């Protein structure tokens, strides 16, 4: 099975069914461990990106969030949310099949605070200068959650 062709097929089927043009296939040892198209339109869940859904399936299937023995195939270069998830699960390699520059004339997903053309620049700005209003509200009890985690998880 060609994982690149499978990724394209999943995305095309999703488009035909009213979904968005993205899909992910996760391979381990030459076998498909997980796969998913983007399901945002179908679920009204903004986190239901193909990468996120496939990573969840793969991690559940193997009982670990570590995908370092896997290859991940995605239809397009990842958004920041998916990029973060990809870094976190640490696959051997991520292969993306199209770039934003290649597909932008056919597909755009602009939100109030999210435009792929400038979104990555938001991360380098100080929090106070980002487009998304964010407020830091410190509370002395909050650190106790992490202190308790450390106590319960010391080896």
């Amino acid at each position: 099975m060609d994982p690149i062709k499978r990724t394209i097929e999943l995305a095309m089927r999703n488009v035909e069914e009213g979904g968005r043009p993205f899909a992910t296939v996760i391979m381990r040892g030459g076998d498909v461990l997980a796969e998913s198209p983007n399901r945002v339109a179908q679920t009204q869940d903004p986190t239901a990106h193909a990468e996120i859904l496939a990573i969840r399936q793969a991690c559940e299937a193997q009982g670990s969030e570590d995908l370092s023995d896997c290859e991940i195939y995605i239809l397009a270069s990842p958004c920041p949310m998916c990029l973060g998830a990809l870094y976190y699960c640490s696959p051997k390699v991520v292969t993306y099949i199209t770039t934003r520059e290649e597909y932008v004339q056919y597909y755009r997903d602009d939100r109030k605070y999210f435009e792929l053309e400038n979104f990555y620049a938001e991360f380098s700005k100080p929090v106070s200068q980002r487009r998304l209003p964010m407020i830091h509200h410190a509370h002395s009890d909050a650190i106790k959650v992490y202190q308790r985690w450390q106590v319960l998880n010391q080896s």
Side-chain angles (χ1 to χ4, degrees), residues 21-22 51 74-83 86 96-110 114-121 123:
F22 303 99
E51 296 93 331
I74 59 180
L75 190 69
S77 51
C79 77
M81 175 181 66
C82 294
L83 183 61
L86 290 163
Y96 63 98
I97 304 166
T98 62
T99 66
R100 284 186 297 283
E101 293 79 15
E102 291 169 330
Y103 74 70
V104 71
Q105 66 181 320
Y106 309 107
Y107 178 84
R108 291 184 66 85
D109 193 4
D110 294 337
F114 181 85
E115 290 118 5
L116 284 173
E117 291 81 11
N118 62 19
F119 192 80
Y120 284 96
F123 290 108

Side-chain angles (χ1 to χ4, degrees), residues 22-141:
F22 303 99
T24 298
V25 173
I26 300 179
M27 304 288 292
R28 183 176 65 196
D31 296 320
V32 174
L33 180 60
E35 61 181 30
S36 182
N38 178 294
R39 293 282 187 212
V40 172
Q42 295 92 325
T43 64
Q44 295 75 52
D45 176 357
T47 68
H49 288 206
E51 296 93 331
I52 301 298
L53 297 176
I55 288 169
R56 286 177 185 162
Q57 288 175 21
C59 291
E60 186 174 329
Q62 69 176 18
S64 170
E65 74 275 8
D66 179 5
L67 299 180
S68 59
D69 61 346
C70 298
E71 303 90 33
I72 300 181
Y73 297 83
I74 59 180
L75 190 69
S77 51
C79 77
M81 175 181 66
C82 294
L83 183 61
L86 290 163
Y87 267 86
Y88 199 90
C89 70
S90 304
K92 268 194 259 188
V93 65
V94 175
T95 299
Y96 63 98
I97 304 166
T98 62
T99 66
R100 284 186 297 283
E101 293 79 15
E102 291 169 330
Y103 74 70
V104 71
Q105 66 181 320
Y106 309 107
Y107 178 84
R108 291 184 66 85
D109 193 4
D110 294 337
R111 305 294 170 150
K112 183 175 181 180
Y113 302 118
F114 181 85
E115 290 118 5
L116 284 173
E117 291 81 11
N118 62 19
F119 192 80
Y120 284 96
E122 287 287 302
F123 290 108
S124 63
K125 294 178 184 177
V127 172
S128 63
Q129 294 176 14
R130 292 181 185 164
R131 294 177 63 203
L132 176 66
M134 295 180 70
I135 299 167
H136 176 219
H137 184 103
H139 192 288
S140 59
D141 287 341

